Each structure stands twice: as structure tokens, then as C-alpha cells.
């Protein structure tokens, strides 16, 4: 969720398997299999949890922006499918030189911004140069190996100083978004992109509305309007759905599925995700600076109980989830063993320890209650401090003023956070940083993944944090709604296939 560049401390569910055709608008999500006769004037109401602080995707932390704006409003030369395939979008094609140092993208014809301006190669070059030049822009450093960005007719050419196996992937995210050159739009409150939807209204504290972009260069959106209603409380969201106020509900625990299905009006689907329920430990503060204390905390936690309580997902004991390159089962680094945990605390000379867990207020109590109970069993008193998200960003993410923190990191392939000592995790291991850079320099995917696997094992062995679970995407859709993504919805929510039958 919280990339060094993208604070994703609250996101929810994004897109299913995608397919790109020559005339389609980028990646198209795998939909619910139910076929409907779509109503072109349909308005679909979607429940989300975390509202963004502002809409400027260049500088504002939070996966709440990536989740709804990328693919739907903003696009890049390339985009990605939930199964992590990279596909051409604003580029009609791209090539990579044999030495992996030159990337050439041919710009698609007939693309316009939402304000009617035609997309040009100058817009693309300017957008990428702005990201690279402004370190305050999210993901700026992912273009660090790009030496030059230039136009050549209809082509945009990126020349690298050294190979970068992550470049194409990073161009599918914030670093690669194409904006209108010198656009006067106030991006904190409005948006001017190239996607199938226009952002038309933001009622702060309530909702964000998208309208279909009838001037879209690819296949037009199948619904007239999408309204994202921000409802942090799960019970309030379920009540709204049962009252007919919502058509899609995301961001709730699977153990609540029976409640919404009991109405007979909703179908609940569970998809895979790269969500990582991460218990961060500030190793710059004693006694968490002692590896034995961190290991004791990990071995005190019953990961199976957490997954069971959530009703979906799977255990995770390392920084890389199963969907990402470099994954391996690292459960051996922190087996559930309260007796061993007590022994480790004794060896570290720690007794009557009290720690504070800082957590964004929209998270339910399921995970924190289990943590309180598990840690109490080994003699650690855990105080839970729920704060508003801006406070969490300021205190934890920015100032690193915390002991323990829990958030759901939704972003795929975000291992670079563990290779960045300035990230709020506070983890600093030169060997991990070296392996990560080597993985970026690898010229084949297998070598890159192998290096990431080595680095991830070191992070887990260092007890740098605890990875409580690999979450699942849980989505409830009202009968008649089809095409809503069900895979990785917390990270991206591509709505190009969304449709609703006439009622």
C-alpha cells in the first residue's frame, strides 16, 4: 500500500484479467461471468473506504488515487493487467533494444485529452521529464536510470544509462502517466486525462463521480456514470447496500459475506491480490532495535488465526506476495511459538513491555484484537492508537514517529521499500539494497526474480517486520451489474468493462 512513492495505506480492490485489442482503451478487466444487456444510461454506485486527501496524483500519497484514477482517468504509454502482463495503451507498440538500453514507443493516433486537446509526443516527453526532474513527484526515482527522453517523429525514445528490468513495469504506474503539457488544470481538485471516464464531481467527505468520456479514443465505457461513495464503516456500507443505495461493495471482510448475500440481491466474489497486511516495527527505537524482540513479536502472532478471522486470503511471512516475482514461502522465519517468543524476550532482558500500535482509523478491529491477545500471551501489552489517515501519514509515514504500525500495502512489486532506508519501515541493510539494484540491472526475468528472492529472505531473517497475511479482494455486486474487477481491486480498479442491465 505505501510505496516509497505511493502511500497506499488504505486501498481497496482492482481489476481482473485483462485483454488489450488494437482498438480497445488499454487493459480491460476480467468481469463477472454474468452477461447482461447493458443500459447505456446506467449509474453505478460503488462503496470505497479511503477517500484521497486531494486528487493530484503526481504528488499526493495514497493508493486511493491509483485505485480509481489510473486506467479510468489517467493513462500511460503502457498499462498492466491484474495478472501483471504489460500491454500497450497510449503507445500502439513498443520495442526494446537488444542491449536493453533503448525503449521506443510509437504513439497511438486519435487520442485526445478530456478537454478536447489532441495528445502529442511533446505531451509524453514533457510528462516523463517532469516526473524524472521533480523528486517530490511520486515514483520519480523509478526513472533514475533513464538518461534521456526524446521525441523522434511519432516515437518517444527513452535511453538508459544501464539496464532496468523494472522500467516498463514502473511506466504502468504513476511514473508513466501522460498529462497535457503545461495544463492549467488544478489537479488537486480536478483531472484532465485521456481515459474512458472523466472526473466530473468531488464532494469532499462524501463521493467522487466519473462520467463516461464520449470522446474516448478506444471502446467507450458501458455505463453513463460511476459514483464512488466513501463509507469507512463496514456495517454502514452493508446497510446502504441492503437499502438499495449501493450497487458494488468493496473493502469488507469476507466473514461478512453471508450478511450481504442473505438479501438475495448480491453476489460475492473473492479474487487474489498483492495486498500485504504489514506490521511495521520501528527498529530505530529500543527495544525494537533488538532483533530478538522483533522475532519474539513475530513468533507470538498466530497468522492462521488472522486469516481465519478475516474469512479470506492466506498467510504471508515475507515482503513479497505470491503474485509477485521473487515469492517464496518464508514461514520458517517466524513460526507461531509463544514459548519461544517468551524465551527471546527473556534473553533480550525485556519484561513488562508496553508498545503502541498506530493504525489508520478506517481499519476494523479484527486484526488489532488478535494482536493484542497474542502479544499479551507472551507478556507484551499492546495499546492500539487509531488515528485519521492524514495524522498517520504525518506521524508514521513522514516523521517515523511510531513503535508499531499496521497498514495494508496494496501495491504490486513494491519490494523497493525494503531497499530504501529512508522509507518509514526504517529498515537499512546494504546487502538487500545491493541485491535489489542487481535485480533491476538483470536482463532477464528469471535472474531478476532470483535476486529478489534472495533479498526477501534476508529481510525476513532480519525480522524487519511481520507480514500478517496476503489479503484477498472481496467484492459484492448487485445482480444485473457485470464487468466489475475482482482481482487486486485494492490496487487498481479498471472499470472499462463495467456494465449494468436495465432495471
Amino acid at each position: 500500500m505505501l510505496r516509497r512513492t505511493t502511500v497506499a495505506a488504505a486501498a481497496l480492490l482492482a481489476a481482473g484479467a485483462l485483454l488489450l485489442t488494437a482498438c480497445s482503451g488499454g487493459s480491460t478487466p476480467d468481469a463477472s461471468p454474468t452477461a447482461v444487456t447493458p443500459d447505456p444510461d446506467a449509474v453505478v454506485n460503488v462503496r470505497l473506504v479511503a477517500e484521497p486527501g486531494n486528487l493530484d496524483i503526481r504528488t499526493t500519497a495514497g493508493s486511493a488515487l491509483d485505485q480509481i484514477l489510473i486506467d479510468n482517468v489517467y493513462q500511460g504509454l503502457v498499462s498492466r493487467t491484474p495478472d501483471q502482463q504489460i500491454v500497450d495503451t497510449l503507445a500502439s507498440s513498443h520495442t526494446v533494444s537488444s542491449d536493453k538500453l533503448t525503449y521506443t514507443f510509437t504513439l497511438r493516433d486519435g487520442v485526445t485529452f478530456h478537454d478536447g486537446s489532441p495528445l502529442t509526443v511533446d505531451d509524453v516527453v514533457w510528462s516523463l521529464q517532469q516526473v524524472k526532474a521533480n523528486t517530490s513527484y511520486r515514483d520519480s526515482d523509478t526513472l533514475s536510470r533513464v538518461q534521456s527522453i526524446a521525441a523522434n517523429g511519432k516515437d518517444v525514445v527513452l535511453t538508459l544509462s544501464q539496464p532496468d528490468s523494472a522500467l516498463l513495469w514502473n511506466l504502468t504506474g504513476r511514473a508513466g502517466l501522460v498529462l497535457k503539457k503545461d495544463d492549467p488544470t488544478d489537479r488537486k481538485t480536478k483531472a484532465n486525462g485521456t481515459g474512458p471516464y472523466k472526473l466530473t464531481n468531488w464532494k469532499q467527505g462524501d463521493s467522487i463521480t466519473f462520467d463516461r468520456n464520449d470522446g474516448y479514443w478506444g471502446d467507450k465505457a458501458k455505463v453513463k456514470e460511476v459514483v464512488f461513495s466513501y463509507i469507512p464503516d463496514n456495517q454502514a456500507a452493508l446497510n446502504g447496500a441492503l437499502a438499495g443505495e449501493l450497487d458494488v461493495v468493496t473493502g469488507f471482510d469476507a466473514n461478512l459475506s453471508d450478511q450481504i448475500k442473505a438479501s438475495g440481491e448480491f453476489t460475492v466474489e473473492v479474487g487474489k491480490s498483492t495486498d500485504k497486511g504489514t506490521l511495521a516495527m520501528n527498529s530505530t527505537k529500543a527495544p525494537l532495535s533488538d532483533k530478538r524482540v522483533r522475532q519474539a513479536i513475530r513468533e507470538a502472532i498466530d497468522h492462521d488465526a488472522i486469516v481465519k478471522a478475516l474469512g479470506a486470503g492466506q498467510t504471508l511471512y515475507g515482503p513479497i506476495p505470491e503474485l509477485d516475482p521473487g515469492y517464496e514461502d518464508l514461514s520458517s522465519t517466524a513460526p507461531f511459538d509463544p514459548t519461544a517468543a517468551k524465551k527471546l524476550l527473556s534473553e533480550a532482558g525485556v519484561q513488562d513491555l508496553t508498545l503502541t500500535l498506530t493504525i489508520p482509523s478506517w481499519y476494523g478491529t479484527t486484526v488489532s484484537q488478535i494482536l493484542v491477545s497474542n502479544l499479551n500471551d507472551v507478556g507484551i501489552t499492546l495499546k492500539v492508537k487509531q488515528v485519521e489517515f492524514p495524522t498517520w501519514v504525518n506521524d508514521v509515514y513522514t516523521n517515523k514517529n511510531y513503535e508499531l504500525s499496521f497498514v495494508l500495502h496494496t501495491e504490486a512489486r513494491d519490494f523497493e521499500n525494503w531497499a530504501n532506508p529512508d522509507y518509514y519501515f526504517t529498515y537499512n541493510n546494504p546487502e538487500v539494497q545491493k541485491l535489489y539494484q542487481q535485480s533491476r540491472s538483470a536482463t532477464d526475468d528469471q535472474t531478476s526474480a532470483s535476486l529478489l528472492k534472495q533479498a526477501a529472505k534476508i529481510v525476513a531473517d532480519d525480522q524487519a517486520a511481520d507480514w500478517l497475511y496476503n489479503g484477498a479482494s472481496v467484492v459484492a455486486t448487485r445482480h444485473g451489474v457485470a464487468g466489475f474487477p475482482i482481482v487486486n481491486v485494492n490496487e487498481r480498479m479498471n472499470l472499462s468493462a463495467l456494465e449494468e442491465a436495465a432495471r
Side-chain angles (χ1 to χ4, degrees):
M1 184 156 92
L2 291 156
R3 196 171 189 152
R4 76 173 169 278
T5 59
T6 310
V7 177
L12 292 291
L13 320 160
L18 305 170
L19 175 65
L20 178 70
T21 64
C23 62
S24 71
S27 49
T28 323
D30 208 11
S32 159
T34 305
V36 302
T37 301
D39 175 7
D41 295 321
V43 177
V44 177
N45 290 276
V46 180
R47 179 268 182 145
L48 298 182
V49 175
E51 183 180 14
N54 73 68
L55 302 179
D56 193 342
I57 199 165
R58 301 168 301 179
T59 59
T60 303
S63 63
L65 291 179
D66 303 65
Q67 185 184 25
I68 64 171
L69 294 183
I70 298 180
D71 296 326
N72 297 315
V73 174
Y74 293 120
Q75 298 174 308
L77 292 168
V78 289
S79 59
R80 63 182 183 247
T81 68
D83 58 356
Q84 305 194 23
Q85 300 302 306
I86 296 172
V87 291
D88 292 309
T89 304
L90 295 181
S92 59
S93 64
H94 72 272
T95 60
V96 182
S97 62
S98 58
D99 61 5
K100 310 296 184 181
L101 295 178
T102 304
Y103 289 67
T104 303
F105 301 87
T106 299
L107 195 62
R108 190 181 294 277
D109 291 326
V111 179
T112 60
F113 289 99
H114 293 158
D115 67 359
S117 304
L119 172 69
T120 69
V121 290
D122 288 340
D123 294 313
V124 179
V125 171
W126 177 83
S127 296
L128 297 179
Q129 287 177 339
Q130 288 291 301
V131 174
K132 180 173 172 58
N134 289 278
T135 57
S136 63
Y137 282 16
R138 301 289 156 179
D139 290 0
S140 173
D141 58 345
T142 65
L143 301 185
S144 61
R145 299 188 180 191
V146 177
Q147 197 169 46
S148 67
I149 305 164
N152 181 16
K154 287 180 57 177
D155 293 343
V156 176
V157 181
L158 275 59
T159 304
L160 278 60
S161 57
Q162 57 182 309
D164 185 353
S165 63
L167 178 64
L168 276 178
W169 177 265
N170 287 322
L171 289 176
T172 69
R174 292 197 187 197
L177 296 180
V178 176
L179 309 179
K180 179 182 173 182
K181 183 178 180 180
D182 299 326
D183 192 346
T185 298
D186 179 2
R187 296 192 184 275
K188 290 185 177 180
T189 58
K190 296 180 176 60
N192 182 26
T194 58
Y197 291 95
K198 296 180 178 181
L199 192 154
T200 54
N201 191 25
W202 181 21
K203 297 180 181 178
Q204 295 189 37
D206 181 72
S207 63
I208 289 175
T209 300
F210 288 176
D211 284 353
R212 178 173 53 231
N213 175 18
D214 289 323
Y216 185 54
W217 57 268
D219 294 336
K220 306 297 186 292
K222 298 177 182 180
V223 299
K224 180 180 180 181
E225 185 175 281
V226 180
V227 180
F228 301 103
S229 295
Y230 291 98
I231 308 173
D233 183 74
N234 273 334
Q235 194 57 55
L238 295 182
N239 291 343
L242 298 177
E245 298 169 356
L246 298 169
D247 302 299
V248 180
V249 183
T250 71
F252 63 98
D253 293 348
N255 55 24
L256 300 175
S257 296
D258 288 344
Q259 183 176 339
I260 194 168
K261 287 193 293 186
S263 68
E265 297 181 2
F266 283 85
T267 298
V268 176
E269 295 179 274
V270 178
K272 291 185 176 182
S273 84
T274 56
D275 296 358
K276 300 163 289 292
T278 306
L279 180 67
M281 305 186 202
N282 191 340
S283 59
T284 66
K285 293 180 178 291
L288 294 170
S289 53
D290 191 322
K291 176 181 173 180
R292 294 169 296 183
V293 175
R294 300 194 302 272
Q295 184 174 351
I297 291 172
R298 295 191 70 197
E299 294 194 7
I301 297 171
D302 188 346
H303 295 73
D304 290 322
I306 291 175
V307 171
K308 183 178 180 180
L310 293 173
Q314 59 190 21
T315 55
L316 180 68
Y317 294 86
I320 298 179
E322 190 175 16
L323 289 180
D324 282 353
Y327 168 78
E328 71 171 318
D329 180 358
L330 294 173
S331 55
S332 63
T333 64
F336 177 49
D337 191 340
T339 300
K342 291 178 183 178
K343 183 179 179 181
L344 284 165
L345 290 172
S346 177
E347 291 174 356
V350 173
Q351 57 182 347
D352 299 324
L353 176 61
T354 298
L355 294 171
T356 298
L357 173 70
T358 306
I359 183 172
S361 57
W362 62 67
Y363 287 122
T365 60
T366 302
V367 172
S368 58
Q369 286 178 346
I370 293 174
L371 293 177
V372 168
S373 176
N374 285 170
L375 294 184
N376 182 69
D377 288 343
V378 300
I380 299 175
T381 299
L382 185 64
K383 294 182 178 180
V384 180
K385 180 182 178 182
Q386 289 192 308
V387 298
E388 295 301 314
F389 186 52
T391 300
W392 186 94
V393 171
N394 181 72
D395 294 352
V396 178
Y397 183 74
T398 302
N399 294 324
K400 306 179 184 66
N401 183 20
Y402 75 100
E403 292 178 324
L404 301 177
S405 183
F406 169 77
V407 292
L408 192 63
H409 285 253
T410 64
E411 278 209 343
R413 304 193 190 189
D414 60 354
F415 182 81
E416 71 264 28
N417 293 333
W418 298 102
N420 177 13
D422 293 327
Y423 194 66
Y424 89 95
F425 290 155
T426 72
Y427 178 68
N428 187 358
N429 186 311
E431 181 63 19
V432 169
Q433 295 157 25
K434 177 182 176 182
L435 287 168
Y436 174 68
Q437 292 301 326
Q438 289 176 345
S439 77
R440 286 186 63 181
S441 298
T443 55
D444 66 271
D445 293 341
Q446 184 174 355
T447 300
S448 178
S450 176
L451 290 162
L452 287 175
K453 182 182 292 187
Q454 294 176 49
K457 178 66 162 55
I458 295 173
V459 174
D461 282 337
D462 280 346
Q463 314 296 332
D466 197 23
W467 300 272
L468 304 177
Y469 63 95
N470 179 190
S473 294
V474 184
V475 182
T477 54
R478 186 179 299 280
H479 297 163
V481 175
F484 195 88
I486 58 172
V487 176
N488 237 13
V489 182
N490 278 345
E491 189 200 21
R492 295 280 187 90
M493 192 177 290
N494 186 321
L495 301 179
S496 58
L498 179 63
E499 57 188 11
E500 182 177 17
R503 297 185 183 181

